[in-house]
Amino acid sequence: MSSSENKEKIYIKCIESIRSTSESNKLKFISKLLFESFDSWIFCGFYFQNDNKLLLSEYSSDKIPCSPIEFDGVCGTAILNDKILNIGDVNTFQGHIVCDDNSKSEICIPFKISGVQYVLDVDSNIYNAFCEIDEKYLLEIIKEI
Ligand code: SME
């Protein structure tokens, strides 16, 4: 099985679990489930907008992440552009906010819950960890919230 096929299989299983869970805290469930499903992930969590800052919501992580964060990082930029931001090498992103030195690549998916701006943020300890498959399935997962 190719690594892409394997990745798809993992996401499909995760989506099944998300659809069938009785856990009422979906953000908590999703961050934990995804974090535990992918070996290279070192942070998977949600930030939400509070005035001109982003505050940490539910997450699973190797280290305690930073909060609040400013809008000039990867998360804030994804929100301001209202577009998925997939950064293959975080060192190339000016303004990248370092919460964990081991982070090499990062993907952010902006979305709203009841008018509040959120972002799903994932960090990996390998470069170029995220591709169109991640973009597609993470967007599908956001729709389940
Ligand atoms: N790197 C993010 C900050 C959040 S952490 O990765 C958990 C950013 O640049 O916005």
Side-chain angles (χ1 to χ4, degrees):
M1 192 190 299
S2 74
S3 66
S4 299
E5 282 170 343
N6 192 38
K7 198 182 242 192
E8 286 208 84
K9 241 181 130 180
I10 294 172
Y11 274 119
I12 288 165
K13 242 182 125 188
C14 286
I15 291 172
E16 273 171 22
S17 302
I18 293 163
R19 287 190 178 140
S20 60
T21 183
S22 58
E23 166 68 66
S24 56
N25 188 335
K26 279 266 175 86
L27 299 188
K28 186 176 175 186
F29 184 78
I30 288 170
S31 56
K32 194 167 190 309
L33 176 71
L34 290 174
F35 180 76
E36 287 175 6
S37 299
F38 292 97
D39 289 342
S40 87
W41 291 21
I42 57 173
F43 172 85
C44 176
F46 298 90
Y47 284 89
F48 65 97
Q49 181 169 10
N50 185 258
D51 293 327
N52 59 348
K53 305 253 188 231
L54 291 171
L55 305 184
L56 189 61
S57 173
E58 299 292 348
Y59 70 94
S60 283
S61 179
D62 279 358
K63 294 191 180 158
I64 295 176
C66 16
S67 178
I69 55 172
E70 305 289 334
F71 264 83
D72 51 2
V74 183
C75 294
T77 306
I79 288 176
L80 293 174
N81 296 336
D82 194 23
K83 249 173 98 177
I84 292 182
L85 196 48
N86 182 356
I87 308 293
D89 176 355
V90 292
N91 302 306
T92 65
F93 190 90
Q94 206 185 358
H96 170 247
I97 299 162
V98 182
C99 294
D100 182 338
D101 288 340
N102 295 320
S103 176
K104 301 282 194 296
S105 56
E106 179 164 10
I107 187 167
C108 290
I109 297 97
F111 64 101
K112 283 188 178 163
I113 303 177
S114 311
V116 178
Q117 184 67 63
Y118 277 77
V119 64
L120 167 59
D121 179 30
V122 185
D123 284 76
S124 167
N125 62 11
I126 54 173
Y127 291 110
N128 302 307
F130 308 105
C131 63
E132 307 76 46
I133 296 173
D134 299 275
E135 295 183 13
K136 175 184 162 193
Y137 285 101
L138 290 175
L139 264 179
E140 273 193 35
I141 287 169
I142 293 303
K143 289 189 197 135
E144 298 297 325
I145 294 171

